[in-house]
Amino acid sequence: MKILLLLSTIGALTLFIFTRTSMEFNLSTHKRDNKTYRGPSSLKNVTKLSTQKSVIEKSISLKPFERIHELLKCWDNECSQYSSDDPKEYYFLLGDKLALEVSNLNIDQIQNESDISELLNIFKIENAFVREKVLDLIQQLPPDEKIKELLTQSLTDNFEAKIVYQTLIELLIKYPDDPKVLQKVEQLILSGPHFSRVYFLERLSPLIDERTFAFFKNLLPKLNFNSQEYKLLKFAVNEYSLHVQGA
């Protein structure tokens, strides 16, 4: 009986030692494999992270306009670091990067005609966030013929109501007597995209002064009496008249 008990104990102990040794061997192999092997998906992520790191390091070393130039190149020719299966997402991400770089520009960095030309080239990018940031800088600059020409032309092909409004503010404040500017403003109010017209006319009152009052008043007979545009313009014109009478 004692012999049977002894044999049973020895057998159990042997099985325990064998099982533990096997588990340690498998764990060691698993760690080694994880350390030395990466599948295609893992390698792709490592490559992408490496590319992004090199792009960031390069970006930090560049001057503001140089960083913008690098991004503009990616706008015309797809760059791998912003690549996406969805083209819209690609330009959305790139537009955000451009807008950030433009917002980091200081007005003191716009020192000559060349810098103004650079700024206007950026404005040509069809992205509302980018154009908004460029307009923020342009508003701090003195009147300039090239700026006026580009902003006036942009009213023809720009359908972002907020950007149209910001552009009109810039044009009416700095070039209120310019025939080309007034012609574009008239075209917008009479036949521009409905939402852009309404957005602008709802916010027109503060822009009317002694230089533009007659121009806007003379547009009233050209609008449909029952239209929303007529009512909004009439309100803005009347509000200025009451302001003058009160003064």
Side-chain angles (χ1 to χ4, degrees):
M1 188 70 174
K2 290 182 178 180
I3 294 173
L4 288 174
L5 182 61
L6 179 61
L7 290 173
S8 177
T9 303
I10 292 172
L13 183 60
T14 303
L15 179 62
F16 173 76
I17 294 172
F18 174 79
T19 302
R20 182 178 178 85
T21 303
S22 177
M23 290 176 63
E24 289 177 348
F25 174 78
N26 288 336
L27 181 61
S28 174
T29 303
H30 176 70
K31 288 181 177 179
R32 184 177 67 250
D33 288 348
N34 280 347
K35 185 175 182 181
T36 58
Y37 173 74
R38 290 189 175 97
S41 174
S42 180
L43 286 174
K44 182 179 179 180
N45 290 336
V46 170
T47 302
K48 188 171 184 179
L49 286 172
S50 177
T51 302
Q52 290 176 343
K53 181 181 178 183
S54 64
V55 169
I56 292 172
E57 290 173 347
K58 181 179 180 182
S59 176
I60 292 173
S61 66
L62 295 174
K63 295 179 181 179
F65 271 120
E66 291 176 337
R67 290 198 293 269
I68 290 172
H69 288 161
E70 293 296 313
L71 292 170
L72 290 177
K73 290 177 184 177
C74 291
W75 193 273
D76 296 327
N77 302 287
E78 187 172 328
C79 296
S80 59
Q81 64 267 32
Y82 305 110
S83 62
S84 170
D85 295 334
D86 183 356
K88 290 183 179 179
E89 183 181 2
Y90 173 84
Y91 287 106
F92 180 80
L93 292 173
L94 191 55
D96 277 354
K97 290 283 186 183
L98 265 170
L100 179 61
E101 288 297 339
V102 175
S103 67
N104 287 335
L105 286 175
N106 189 294
I107 193 62
D108 294 334
Q109 293 171 303
I110 316 298
Q111 298 178 340
N112 51 50
E113 287 297 313
S114 176
D115 293 337
I116 291 176
S117 296
E118 294 274 15
L119 206 58
L120 296 182
N121 282 333
I122 301 167
F123 186 78
K124 293 176 183 178
I125 294 292
E126 294 182 4
N127 181 285
F129 297 118
V130 174
R131 288 187 169 184
E132 183 179 358
K133 298 304 178 184
V134 173
L135 282 168
D136 288 342
L137 284 171
I138 286 176
Q139 288 169 2
Q140 302 176 59
L141 295 171
D144 181 272
E145 191 66 22
K146 288 194 296 186
I147 293 177
K148 184 195 73 176
E149 289 296 326
L150 180 64
L151 295 187
T152 303
Q153 181 59 37
S154 75
L155 292 174
T156 303
D157 54 17
N158 195 336
F159 301 103
E160 289 284 345
K162 184 178 179 181
I163 303 304
V164 170
Y165 177 65
Q166 283 184 268
T167 303
L168 286 169
I169 290 176
E170 176 67 12
L171 290 172
L172 287 172
I173 288 177
K174 292 182 181 175
Y175 320 96
D177 303 317
D178 189 281
K180 288 184 179 180
V181 170
L182 295 179
Q183 182 183 15
K184 284 292 183 181
V185 174
E186 180 174 345
Q187 287 177 0
L188 175 73
I189 292 175
L190 298 181
S191 59
H194 175 73
F195 187 71
S196 293
R197 285 185 284 168
V198 171
Y199 190 94
F200 170 62
L201 291 171
E202 284 176 338
R203 297 160 177 79
L204 176 61
S205 294
L207 297 178
I208 297 180
D209 58 19
E210 67 278 2
R211 300 171 298 175
T212 57
F213 173 72
F215 166 75
F216 286 112
K217 184 178 180 180
N218 291 335
L219 288 181
L220 284 169
K222 299 180 182 182
L223 289 167
N224 185 320
F225 180 77
N226 294 314
S227 68
Q228 184 181 10
E229 288 85 348
Y230 177 89
K231 294 173 183 177
L232 290 170
L233 181 57
K234 181 71 172 177
F235 175 82
V237 168
N238 287 345
E239 192 171 60
Y240 177 75
S241 297
L242 291 173
H243 171 73
V244 172
Q245 292 171 14

